[in-house]
Amino acid sequence: MAQMNMIQALNSAMDIALGRDPSVVLLGEDIGYFGGVFRVTDGLQRKYGQHRVLDTPIAEGGIIGAAIGMGVNGLRPVAEIQFADYIYPAYDQIVSELARLRYRSAGAYSAPVTIRTPCGGGIRGGQTHSQSPEAIFAHVCGIKLVMPSNPYDAKGLLIAAIEDDDPVLFLEPKRLYNGPFDGDPAKPAVPWSTHPKGEVPEGHYTVPIGKAEIVRPGNDITIVSYGTMVHVAQAAAASLGLDAEVIDVRSFVPLDVDTLVASVKKTGRCLIAHEATRFGGFGAELLATIQERCFWELEAPIERVCGFDTPYPHAFEWEYFPGQARVATALARVMEVR
Amino acid sequence: MAQMNMIQALNSAMDIALGRDPSVVLLGEDIGYFGGVFRVTDGLQRKYGQHRVLDTPIAEGGIIGAAIGMGVNGLRPVAEIQFADYIYPAYDQIVSELARLRYRSAGAYSAPVTIRTPCGGGIRGGQTHSQSPEAIFAHVCGIKLVMPSNPYDAKGLLIAAIEDDDPVLFLEPKRLYNGPFDGDPAKPAVPWSTHPKGEVPEGHYTVPIGKAEIVRPGNDITIVSYGTMVHVAQAAAASLGLDAEVIDVRSFVPLDVDTLVASVKKTGRCLIAHEATRFGGFGAELLATIQERCFWELEAPIERVCGFDTPYPHAFEWEYFPGQARVATALARVMEVR
Amino acid sequence: MPRPSRLHVPRVPARPGEAPDFSYVSLSPAGAVARPDVNAAPADIENLSVELIRVLDDEHVAVGPWNPHLDVDVLQVALRHMVLTRVFDDRMLRTQRQGKISFYMKSTGEEAVAIAAAMALRPSDMLFPAYRQQGLQFVRGARLVDLMCQLLSNTRDMCKGRQLPVMYHSVPGRIFSISGNLATQFPQAVGWAMAAAIKGEDSVAATWIGEGSSAEADFHHALLFASVYKAPVILNVVNNQWAISTFQGYAGGEQRSFAARGPGYGMPGLRVDGNDFLAVYAATEWAAERARKGAGGSLIELVTYRASAHSTSDDPSRYRPKEDAERWPLGDPVERLKGHLIRLGEWSEEQHAALVGELDAQVVAAWQEATTYGTLTDGPRLDRDLMFEDVFKELPPHLVEQREALRRERS
Amino acid sequence: MPRPSRLHVPRVPARPGEAPDFSYVSLSPAGAVARPDVNAAPADIENLSVELIRVLDDEHVAVGPWNPHLDVDVLQVALRHMVLTRVFDDRMLRTQRQGKISFYMKSTGEEAVAIAAAMALRPSDMLFPAYRQQGLQFVRGARLVDLMCQLLSNTRDMCKGRQLPVMYHSVPGRIFSISGNLATQFPQAVGWAMAAAIKGEDSVAATWIGEGSSAEADFHHALLFASVYKAPVILNVVNNQWAISTFQGYAGGEQRSFAARGPGYGMPGLRVDGNDFLAVYAATEWAAERARKGAGGSLIELVTYRASAHSTSDDPSRYRPKEDAERWPLGDPVERLKGHLIRLGEWSEEQHAALVGELDAQVVAAWQEATTYGTLTDGPRLDRDLMFEDVFKELPPHLVEQREALRRERS
Ligand SMILES: Cc1ncc(C[n+]2csc(CCOP(=O)(O)OP(=O)(O)O)c2C)c(N)n1
Ligand SMILES: Cc1ncc(C[n+]2csc(CCOP(=O)(O)OP(=O)(O)O)c2C)c(N)n1
Ligand SMILES: [Mg+2]
Ligand SMILES: [Mg+2]
């Protein structure tokens, strides 16, 4: 076991994948010689060469188009989109092509492409470096979709994604790259070495895609969350002294419905928290799924705490961010209902 | 008043807009000389000339990019995307640019672009001529989003959209172009002239964006739907002899929450029906919104009847389509709960 | 008083009711264009994107440096493929008109484009077609019945009922799955070629796009990535003058040839008579050899004419003169290859008629067999459970649930 | 044994620790390139995309047919703008290092690109910049304080706190809102120009893109639409050799100049010394006149060098030699214009030092004022209700509700 932050864990996952399987290649903007703007691919081109770790033109659509062709020709491409906010130029290649190739060709062709991209706010990135686009991919059939909330899961899920024969979109909550973040920007930064999930095996292991994790068992209420908000939610529940069951969704597609439903059936209450804008966000699907299955057990309406339905504004980052106070207020409200 | 099908109603809306306001221009693939592959713009280039009704290259991203620039320079562009399935190459220009321009420039710049595009299945179009992408636009802040279910609304909403200073994405359920469709492909086609909403004023009028319509008042259950499914839902309810309140959402953004909530508070039951795939679909937002506000009045879980989470398959069109039987079964199930 | 518009709008040479006008097509005499070394620097061979590479002259004689000097039996095989394509297209159009299939797209008048290219390539080369290169399937040995079952979405449909007619593929034939979304195959072909290079193989990828579709972003991405990594790829633009109702001038063809985009990205661009089997063959051979030698990709514009409707949903008499196809200056590719073989003394009108009859009978027989596996409306049907498969490699829980729900609904 | 890769990977001339190497930059002597008529056919002036348009020679003398023959006072104004840009950039970098602003991007070494173009255009022409053309703001009369308030996201921020620093705009200056999404402005500028033409106006749109960003789809769409409709637009590619850590060879610059994309689409492409104020001015003037005459758009490649880091988040010593900037063969644009004025006897080192001092004092004074309106961390703050405005023209009910919720939370 080693201490790793999320950047190191992701780097280690790719290092292992490149080392084990000669068909794994990486491609993306600034990922090669430079090692990526967040340094997630640092050192990999030096180790595996320019023909397996490719710097690319700044053309997200071209990157994914080319990655699909590479995947069809027997490679396992891992493409980086520099920020999730810049994935839209590749939207057509992802949803019309990558996600549908196996289906439309009845399994004759498929492309095991993994797309990694940093998402989420909290780094003063303004409206074009802070987005959380999971919902617009979750609705698309044919692509798996995951987001880790800690280094251990990051490495295990990324190896699983690369080894998966289906395409996987892998969202990296960049606010967590260097340490867990409980939503309070005034507090000094905490490194991953202070967190149990900062203990990461050096070798190969996988975290299965499609399984949520109960990060804190509890009985009062179920908090369903993912990415950065997992940590915020835990802190908010703790601040109220609640015995909350906190679930890290981890995998949007496939979604681990059973874990969610079992928890809400037990607690009878549920709060959903995410950073993405509320309207039409993934929280709506979570809420709908739980309502459909736990209607009779619910003691209070399920609530959502989300980003406001505006772009992520540079000057109002911490008013926008659904921080501890907002989560705690909602938790208290849901708990109040008798 | 005149008898119009939806194609004629849309054509009339654009004719009126072009006639009243010299800044209105149309652009799109095959829309000019030819009048569009569905003939929605038939005759308009002849009437208003090649400089106001522009044939364009086949480049959806370029069309919307250019339309934004035109809008900034004082025009009111109405862009057609030939099929909603082909809107993805324009996704970046729509979500990163069109929807955010006013916000990011604090109102200094904006572009009143209307984007029209035929959506939905039921025409044997297979997976690339049948999609219903409303959810992936509803989640985006800064663009209004509407879908009419009849000629009267089509014309009034389209005029409202063109006159709106915000960008509007206007989805046209193509299965309804020529007549209402209750979901039974075996029945002979019915023309709009048999339907009260086929009566359309010849002149200028608007249907406000942001208002749902109760197309059939009732007390047993609220059916929330839009587009083609409005007609299917009505037929399904009738087949069961239910006194259902059927609501046509019409406007996704802004959403008329009050109408939905008032209805469900009254009926205590709710079924949501749409053609788009279920997972992360707009039905999830509808369900979530209603659950949050009507929790105490709900007598049964809200259910969703939607497209399956697969691409729209050519050979299984009518198994895929959420037809009357599927809606009726769900209605019966919701009604059964005591 | 508003000021008059100053916008330029591309000129469309002739509309219904007007006389066909092909004065805009710049031609070179057959044999006139030099054939450079396959390793030539792009900057030194820009003329290839302006002139028109042609081999067959008006007398059906093969002339000039691009003559590939093919054996007679190769030419006869080529003619057979071209006639089969045409016969197949004609029959399938009829089945659509009879309501047996939902949709069809013919390639009439542009058969040489696909057939010559496929014959000039190796079987190990990978093909990424658009929807109008059905000729590739015939060259790569597809069974007629298999293609028809796809058109019928029946129990033997290679696509398991999921795609519109004509959206074929072939794994043994190394033909990629056709997409309904225009142009997307272009950068995919480049990625495939990059992978071939990374793996140290000398296979080439070839891909086709309509001139109208070349307006899409994917076209640019393909050219750019091909140029940056010198990918072994052949990027074919099929300029058949029309994109549904839209004249090629609206795709940029008014100002410059499509071939000229190649040099803009530092890649050779070849403008080729697309109705001249020998010219297409020779140009493809040149580009493939260049690619295999590691000198990178090429862009080939095939100048041709879409003689039929865009698809069975289209009626071209609404937007272009009826007599256009006959007056197309580059003639008909089948007639020209046939004329060449006759001129060589290796073919006759009688043989030709017999060939048409033979192939037509094959098509009819295959159709009879294909329909026994079901049609959209009659006969055996695909298992509806298939609707849920191949979304993912394995069925995730939510699709199992949805499959069960449908089973219950239908039981 | 796996076969060795055959993929081509663009060569990067020099990495940290290696000697700078600019042998790849092909130069023309100042004055060597002919200046064609503004109505020249694109095919006749393709040489402009290969050669390098230069006016200022090594002795700082303006020579040749592209010399715009500007009055001395115009040159002095230009120098003032360029020095101001540099002084402003340097000061703002420092404020970022002190934690007063969250982010900054300098234009050091490429000031001529924006300033010469803006001066050559009319005030009625519309500008669609990328993020590194701050010079446009100075030419179009922006107040320093206003720019600084944007950088500070403070109570007078023109963007109301919504955008990252440097994402300015100006309505009176006719400068479009800068996007964080690369390249999107390119087709928008073309659409603006199309609208100008439709309205019968003779205004021109000019837009800028980095050479790295030219890989995006929007670049292609812009060239294509500009070509098809002959839109009165000037499409500028600022080739400053680097896109963050990525060398321009990865954007296609290894095989061909960026200017050469123009002719590929049937549009003139001009390759211009971007560090030569007079050359940039002259090329812009030529393209603007061409556009105003209705002859359509032009593509201009400005060959320059990004002398500073990409942004305050970047450290170029990780990926290129430290001495690169000094060894850049086209020199420094400020030094060159200054040298020209001195050579003309219209400027001196003393005057220059005084100008730098004067402008620096202006910048410092403006900064003092700007910070009184608040900074990201101190002083007055924007009303947080503003977060909900301008998503739509009017606040829809769900945003009213969210605004109220935030008010309650913060009360
Ligand atoms: C992305 C996308 N946009 C639009 C369409 C609709 N469409 C189908 S074919 C076609 C015309 C294509 O013309 P061209 O590329 O010239 O090919 P051709 O039909 O002439 O072979 C159009 C606009 C589509 N299928 N995909
Ligand atoms: C669509 C998109 N992709 C990626 C980025 C991240 N990014 C910001 S600047 C930059 C480099 C741009 O280089 P270039 O276009 O050469 O402009 P320069 O910085 O040299 O002026 C990148 C990759 C982005 N902002 N938008
Ligand atoms: Mg065509
Ligand atoms: Mg650059």
Side-chain angles (χ1 to χ4, degrees):
Chain A
M1 291 290 238
Q3 296 286 357
M4 295 190 197
N5 64 25
M6 200 185 278
I7 291 170
Q8 294 161 330
L10 293 164
N11 186 283
S12 168
M14 288 184 276
D15 190 359
I16 284 169
L18 284 158
R20 285 166 65 105
D21 180 352
S23 69
V24 172
V25 294
L26 315 188
L27 71 167
E29 300 159 13
D30 299 300
I31 69 151
Y33 186 89
F34 188 54
V37 295
F38 290 105
R39 324 227 41 76
V40 176
T41 54
D42 193 27
L44 297 176
Q45 184 179 82
R46 218 175 316 123
K47 186 160 173 191
Y48 297 99
Q50 292 195 63
H51 297 245
R52 294 191 62 202
V53 181
L54 278 78
D55 282 304
T56 64
I58 304 174
E60 293 76 10
I63 292 170
I64 303 304
I68 294 171
M70 291 175 164
V72 169
N73 200 358
L75 300 185
R76 263 180 204 278
V78 183
E80 175 178 304
I81 301 294
Q82 204 165 79
F83 285 86
D85 316 61
Y86 305 139
I87 201 167
Y88 308 125
Y91 199 66
D92 188 46
Q93 282 285 349
I94 297 173
V95 309
S96 303
E97 297 294 313
L98 184 57
R100 285 158 178 266
L101 179 54
R102 184 191 295 281
Y103 193 77
R104 78 171 195 237
S105 70
Y109 290 105
S110 59
V113 175
T114 300
I115 305 174
R116 295 178 36 245
T117 188
C119 70
I123 61 147
R124 274 274 184 246
Q127 58 132 356
T128 57
H129 300 86
S130 305
Q131 296 170 34
S132 298
E134 62 275 5
I136 62 155
F137 290 98
H139 185 47
V140 168
C141 316
I143 183 158
K144 294 179 177 170
L145 181 63
V146 300
M147 188 194 293
S149 72
N150 59 68
Y152 180 88
D153 286 354
K155 177 169 173 181
L157 274 173
L158 184 53
I159 294 178
I162 297 171
E163 292 176 357
D164 201 297
D165 287 336
D166 287 315
V168 182
L169 177 55
F170 190 95
L171 296 168
E172 303 173 0
K174 60 176 116 48
R175 176 70 216 209
L176 300 181
Y177 272 156
N178 289 303
F181 175 66
D182 69 5
D184 183 349
K187 276 213 298 223
V190 180
W192 276 112
S193 53
T194 64
H195 193 283
K197 293 291 183 108
E199 286 275 299
V200 178
E202 312 214 25
H204 176 277
Y205 69 94
T206 59
V207 168
I209 294 174
K211 293 277 163 249
E213 192 190 22
I214 299 173
V215 295
R216 184 199 184 282
N219 291 299
D220 292 349
I221 182 170
T222 302
I223 308 181
V224 182
S225 189
Y226 47 87
T228 308
M229 292 302 293
V230 170
H231 304 275
V232 177
Q234 279 181 277
S239 76
L240 298 180
L242 275 182
D243 182 24
E245 179 142 307
V246 180
I247 299 182
D248 180 356
V249 171
R250 292 201 296 201
S251 170
F252 306 99
V253 181
L255 181 65
D256 184 356
V257 175
D258 292 347
T259 298
L260 302 177
V261 167
S263 175
V264 178
K265 288 206 168 169
K266 176 178 75 175
T267 63
R269 294 169 199 266
C270 179
L271 182 86
I272 294 161
H274 63 58
E275 240 186 295
T277 55
R278 172 189 182 96
F279 195 79
F282 193 73
E285 179 59 42
L286 290 169
L287 192 155
T289 297
I290 294 168
Q291 187 269 182
E292 285 158 353
R293 288 165 172 82
C294 306
F295 184 80
W296 302 107
E297 289 84 0
L298 281 173
E299 292 165 31
I302 310 171
E303 284 211 27
R304 290 179 283 172
V305 177
C306 311
F308 296 122
D309 288 312
T310 77
Y312 218 117
H314 181 249
F316 302 111
E317 177 135 56
W318 300 115
E319 284 89 348
Y320 183 90
F321 187 89
Q324 269 185 48
R326 199 170 303 150
V327 176
T329 309
L331 279 173
R333 198 164 46 227
V334 178
M335 289 310 301
E336 228 161 57
V337 177
R338 286 286 148 217
Chain B
M1 290 290 237
Q3 297 287 357
M4 294 190 197
N5 63 25
M6 200 185 278
I7 292 169
Q8 293 160 332
L10 293 164
N11 186 284
S12 169
M14 287 185 274
D15 191 0
I16 285 168
L18 284 158
R20 283 165 66 107
D21 181 352
S23 70
V24 173
V25 294
L26 314 187
L27 70 165
E29 299 159 14
D30 299 301
I31 69 151
Y33 186 89
F34 188 53
V37 295
F38 290 105
R39 326 227 39 79
V40 177
T41 54
D42 194 26
L44 298 175
Q45 185 179 81
R46 218 174 316 124
K47 187 162 172 187
Y48 296 99
Q50 292 194 63
H51 298 243
R52 294 192 61 205
V53 180
L54 278 79
D55 282 305
T56 64
I58 304 173
E60 293 76 13
I63 292 170
I64 302 305
I68 293 171
M70 291 175 164
V72 169
N73 199 356
L75 299 186
R76 261 180 205 279
V78 184
E80 175 179 305
I81 300 295
Q82 204 165 80
F83 286 86
D85 316 62
Y86 305 140
I87 201 167
Y88 308 125
Y91 200 66
D92 188 46
Q93 282 285 348
I94 297 173
V95 310
S96 304
E97 297 293 313
L98 185 57
R100 285 160 179 265
L101 179 53
R102 184 191 296 280
Y103 193 78
R104 79 172 195 234
S105 69
Y109 289 105
S110 60
V113 175
T114 301
I115 305 173
R116 296 177 36 245
T117 188
C119 70
I123 61 148
R124 274 273 184 248
Q127 57 131 354
T128 58
H129 300 85
S130 305
Q131 296 171 33
S132 297
E134 62 276 3
I136 61 156
F137 291 99
H139 185 47
V140 169
C141 316
I143 182 157
K144 294 180 178 170
L145 181 64
V146 300
M147 188 194 294
S149 72
N150 60 67
Y152 179 89
D153 286 354
K155 178 169 172 180
L157 275 173
L158 184 53
I159 294 178
I162 297 171
E163 292 176 357
D164 201 297
D165 287 337
D166 287 315
V168 182
L169 177 57
F170 189 95
L171 297 168
E172 303 173 0
K174 60 175 116 48
R175 175 71 214 208
L176 300 181
Y177 272 156
N178 289 301
F181 175 65
D182 70 5
D184 183 350
K187 276 211 297 215
V190 181
W192 276 112
S193 54
T194 64
H195 194 282
K197 293 291 183 105
E199 287 275 298
V200 178
E202 309 214 27
H204 176 277
Y205 69 96
T206 59
V207 168
I209 294 174
K211 292 279 164 248
E213 193 190 21
I214 299 174
V215 295
R216 184 198 183 281
N219 291 298
D220 292 349
I221 182 170
T222 302
I223 309 182
V224 182
S225 188
Y226 47 87
T228 308
M229 292 303 292
V230 171
H231 305 274
V232 177
Q234 279 181 279
S239 76
L240 297 180
L242 275 182
D243 183 25
E245 180 143 305
V246 181
I247 299 182
D248 180 358
V249 171
R250 291 201 297 202
S251 171
F252 305 98
V253 182
L255 182 65
D256 184 356
V257 175
D258 292 346
T259 298
L260 301 178
V261 167
S263 176
V264 177
K265 289 207 166 164
K266 177 178 74 174
T267 63
R269 293 169 199 266
C270 180
L271 182 86
I272 294 161
H274 64 57
E275 239 184 296
T277 54
R278 173 190 182 96
F279 195 80
F282 192 72
E285 179 58 42
L286 290 168
L287 192 156
T289 297
I290 294 169
Q291 187 270 179
E292 284 157 353
R293 287 166 173 83
C294 306
F295 183 79
W296 301 107
E297 290 84 1
L298 281 174
E299 292 165 31
I302 310 172
E303 284 212 26
R304 291 180 282 172
V305 177
C306 311
F308 295 121
D309 288 312
T310 77
Y312 217 117
H314 181 249
F316 303 110
E317 176 134 56
W318 301 114
E319 283 89 350
Y320 183 91
F321 187 88
Q324 270 186 46
R326 198 170 304 151
V327 176
T329 307
L331 279 172
R333 196 165 45 229
V334 179
M335 289 310 300
E336 229 161 56
V337 178
R338 285 289 146 214
Chain C
M1 253 295 294
R3 278 172 287 194
S5 169
R6 299 159 47 102
L7 191 76
H8 172 77
V9 176
R11 201 180 76 85
V12 178
R15 288 296 196 183
E18 296 174 349
D21 174 5
F22 291 110
S23 57
Y24 71 88
V25 185
S26 91
L27 303 177
S28 310
V33 181
R35 183 180 188 278
D37 187 84
V38 297
N39 284 315
D44 297 338
I45 53 174
E46 288 193 30
N47 64 303
L48 297 182
S49 71
V50 178
E51 303 176 62
L52 187 68
I53 297 171
R54 309 178 70 183
V55 173
L56 285 172
D57 71 11
D58 295 346
E59 263 64 62
H60 303 309
V61 180
V63 297
W66 288 90
N67 183 354
H69 298 290
L70 299 176
D71 290 345
V72 165
D73 52 344
V74 173
L75 296 177
Q76 285 173 345
V77 167
L79 187 63
R80 192 180 181 90
H81 287 314
M82 282 166 66
V83 172
L84 177 57
T85 307
R86 187 160 295 182
V87 167
F88 185 88
D89 277 354
D90 287 342
R91 282 277 171 195
M92 292 307 104
L93 176 73
R94 278 197 255 168
T95 67
Q96 195 278 340
R97 291 294 181 237
Q98 293 159 0
K100 306 282 185 197
I101 61 176
S102 63
F103 175 82
Y104 194 69
M105 301 182 98
K106 298 174 79 184
S107 61
T108 310
E110 39 189 290
E111 293 90 347
V113 162
I115 288 170
M119 288 181 67
L121 292 167
R122 296 187 188 160
S124 53
D125 294 333
M126 180 80 185
L127 313 180
F128 289 80
Y131 47 69
R132 216 183 289 283
Q133 287 78 48
Q134 41 265 61
L136 303 176
Q137 288 283 354
F138 298 118
V139 178
R140 290 275 171 108
R143 292 179 57 232
L144 299 183
V145 172
D146 291 342
L147 301 181
M148 290 166 173
C149 289
Q150 196 283 327
L151 299 174
L152 287 157
S153 283
N154 70 15
T155 51
R156 301 229 177 155
D157 172 8
M158 61 174 87
C159 298
K160 297 195 183 144
R162 293 173 192 149
Q163 287 250 62
L164 273 189
V166 317
M167 303 292 170
Y168 317 110
H169 59 259
S170 168
V171 173
R174 297 204 132 203
I175 306 179
F176 191 61
S177 159
I178 297 171
S179 176
N181 302 70
L182 295 173
T184 48
Q185 70 280 8
F186 241 51
Q188 294 165 2
V190 175
W192 194 98
M194 289 171 67
I198 289 170
K199 293 193 289 179
E201 296 166 359
D202 70 353
S203 291
V204 167
T207 182
W208 289 262
I209 201 172
E211 92 294 339
S213 311
S214 74
E216 294 284 4
D218 293 307
F219 176 75
H220 161 71
H221 292 144
L223 265 72
L224 181 65
F225 279 64
S227 162
V228 167
Y229 303 104
K230 295 201 179 197
V233 66
I234 305 177
L235 301 167
N236 294 291
V237 177
V238 184
N239 180 1
N240 63 6
Q241 315 302 315
W242 292 92
I244 309 184
S245 75
T246 304
F247 182 63
Q248 53 110 351
Y250 281 89
E254 187 179 55
Q255 307 299 333
R256 204 69 202 275
S257 77
F258 293 90
R261 301 278 173 84
Y265 292 80
M267 206 188 304
L270 286 66
R271 191 163 166 266
V272 177
D273 178 345
N275 288 9
D276 176 345
F277 176 87
L278 296 175
V280 179
Y281 190 103
T284 307
E285 203 175 33
W286 184 91
E289 202 185 330
R290 182 179 174 89
R292 260 185 260 283
K293 291 219 160 117
S298 300
L299 178 69
I300 301 181
E301 173 182 353
L302 291 318
V303 181
T304 181
Y305 189 85
R306 194 197 75 211
S308 292
H310 169 71
S311 73
T312 47
S313 314
D314 179 46
D315 172 9
S317 73
R318 301 185 81 121
Y319 52 81
R320 65 184 194 187
K322 280 216 173 62
E323 326 80 71
D324 245 23
E326 292 152 36
R327 306 277 282 282
W328 171 245
L330 298 176
D332 176 277
V334 176
E335 291 303 314
R336 283 174 72 192
L337 184 58
K338 176 181 128 192
H340 179 55
L341 274 162
I342 291 175
R343 174 91 197 200
L344 291 174
E346 303 285 355
W347 199 244
S348 67
E349 290 292 352
E350 297 66 42
Q351 279 173 294
H352 198 80
L355 177 68
V356 171
E358 175 202 335
L359 294 174
D360 193 53
Q362 270 183 26
V363 170
V364 169
W367 180 255
Q368 268 155 6
E369 180 186 343
T371 52
T372 64
Y373 307 127
T375 73
L376 254 192
T377 45
D378 303 304
R381 292 203 59 201
L382 281 166
D383 180 354
R384 62 178 68 86
D385 281 5
L386 287 172
M387 178 156 75
F388 302 97
E389 283 176 19
D390 296 322
V391 179
F392 296 99
K393 194 172 180 194
E394 276 147 34
L395 231 59
H398 68 288
L399 288 181
V400 173
E401 206 172 272
Q402 293 180 11
R403 185 189 64 192
E404 298 312 308
L406 181 62
R407 282 187 188 162
R408 259 177 278 134
E409 181 181 315
R410 297 281 158 158
S411 66
Chain D
M1 254 293 294
R3 277 172 287 194
S5 170
R6 299 160 49 103
L7 191 76
H8 172 79
V9 176
R11 201 181 76 86
V12 178
R15 290 294 195 183
E18 296 173 349
D21 174 5
F22 290 110
S23 57
Y24 71 89
V25 186
S26 91
L27 303 176
S28 310
V33 182
R35 183 181 188 278
D37 185 83
V38 296
N39 285 314
D44 296 338
I45 54 175
E46 288 192 30
N47 65 301
L48 298 182
S49 72
V50 178
E51 303 175 62
L52 187 67
I53 297 171
R54 309 179 70 184
V55 173
L56 285 173
D57 70 12
D58 294 346
E59 263 63 64
H60 304 309
V61 180
V63 297
W66 287 91
N67 183 354
H69 298 290
L70 299 177
D71 290 346
V72 164
D73 52 345
V74 173
L75 295 177
Q76 285 173 345
V77 168
L79 186 64
R80 193 180 180 88
H81 287 314
M82 282 166 66
V83 172
L84 176 58
T85 307
R86 186 159 296 183
V87 167
F88 186 87
D89 277 354
D90 286 342
R91 282 277 171 196
M92 292 308 103
L93 176 73
R94 279 197 255 167
T95 68
Q96 195 277 341
R97 291 292 182 237
Q98 294 158 1
K100 307 280 187 199
I101 61 176
S102 63
F103 176 80
Y104 193 70
M105 301 181 98
K106 297 174 79 184
S107 61
T108 310
E110 39 188 292
E111 293 90 346
V113 163
I115 287 170
M119 288 181 69
L121 292 167
R122 296 187 188 160
S124 53
D125 294 334
M126 180 80 188
L127 314 180
F128 290 80
Y131 47 69
R132 215 182 290 282
Q133 286 78 49
Q134 41 265 59
L136 302 177
Q137 288 283 353
F138 299 118
V139 177
R140 289 276 171 108
R143 293 177 58 231
L144 298 184
V145 173
D146 292 342
L147 300 181
M148 289 166 173
C149 290
Q150 196 283 327
L151 299 175
L152 288 158
S153 283
N154 71 14
T155 54
R156 300 225 177 159
D157 173 8
M158 62 175 87
C159 298
K160 298 195 181 143
R162 293 173 191 149
Q163 287 250 63
L164 273 189
V166 317
M167 303 293 169
Y168 317 111
H169 60 260
S170 167
V171 173
R174 298 204 132 202
I175 306 180
F176 191 60
S177 159
I178 296 172
S179 177
N181 302 70
L182 295 173
T184 50
Q185 71 279 8
F186 240 52
Q188 294 165 3
V190 174
W192 194 98
M194 288 171 67
I198 288 171
K199 295 193 286 178
E201 296 165 1
D202 70 352
S203 291
V204 166
T207 183
W208 289 261
I209 201 172
E211 92 294 339
S213 312
S214 74
E216 293 284 3
D218 293 307
F219 177 75
H220 161 71
H221 292 144
L223 265 73
L224 182 65
F225 279 64
S227 162
V228 167
Y229 302 104
K230 293 197 178 201
V233 67
I234 305 177
L235 301 167
N236 295 290
V237 177
V238 184
N239 180 1
N240 64 6
Q241 314 304 314
W242 291 92
I244 311 183
S245 75
T246 305
F247 183 61
Q248 53 111 354
Y250 281 89
E254 186 180 57
Q255 307 300 333
R256 203 69 203 276
S257 77
F258 293 91
R261 301 279 173 86
Y265 291 80
M267 206 188 308
L270 286 66
R271 190 163 167 268
V272 177
D273 178 345
N275 287 8
D276 176 345
F277 175 86
L278 296 175
V280 179
Y281 190 103
T284 306
E285 204 176 32
W286 184 91
E289 203 187 330
R290 181 177 174 89
R292 263 187 259 283
K293 291 219 158 119
S298 299
L299 178 70
I300 301 182
E301 173 182 352
L302 291 319
V303 181
T304 180
Y305 189 84
R306 195 197 75 210
S308 291
H310 169 72
S311 74
T312 47
S313 314
D314 179 45
D315 172 9
S317 73
R318 301 187 80 122
Y319 51 80
R320 64 184 195 187
K322 279 217 173 62
E323 327 80 73
D324 246 21
E326 294 152 34
R327 306 278 282 282
W328 171 244
L330 298 175
D332 176 278
V334 175
E335 291 303 314
R336 284 174 72 192
L337 185 58
K338 175 182 133 194
H340 179 53
L341 273 162
I342 291 174
R343 173 92 198 204
L344 291 174
E346 303 284 356
W347 198 245
S348 67
E349 291 291 354
E350 298 67 41
Q351 277 172 296
H352 197 79
L355 178 68
V356 171
E358 175 202 335
L359 294 174
D360 193 52
Q362 270 182 28
V363 171
V364 170
W367 179 255
Q368 267 153 8
E369 180 185 342
T371 52
T372 64
Y373 308 127
T375 74
L376 253 192
T377 45
D378 303 304
R381 291 205 57 202
L382 280 165
D383 180 355
R384 61 178 67 87
D385 281 4
L386 287 172
M387 179 157 75
F388 301 97
E389 281 174 23
D390 296 323
V391 180
F392 296 99
K393 193 172 179 194
E394 276 148 34
L395 231 59
H398 68 286
L399 288 181
V400 173
E401 205 173 273
Q402 293 179 12
R403 185 188 63 194
E404 298 313 308
L406 182 63
R407 281 187 188 160
R408 259 176 282 136
E409 180 180 316
R410 297 281 157 158
S411 67

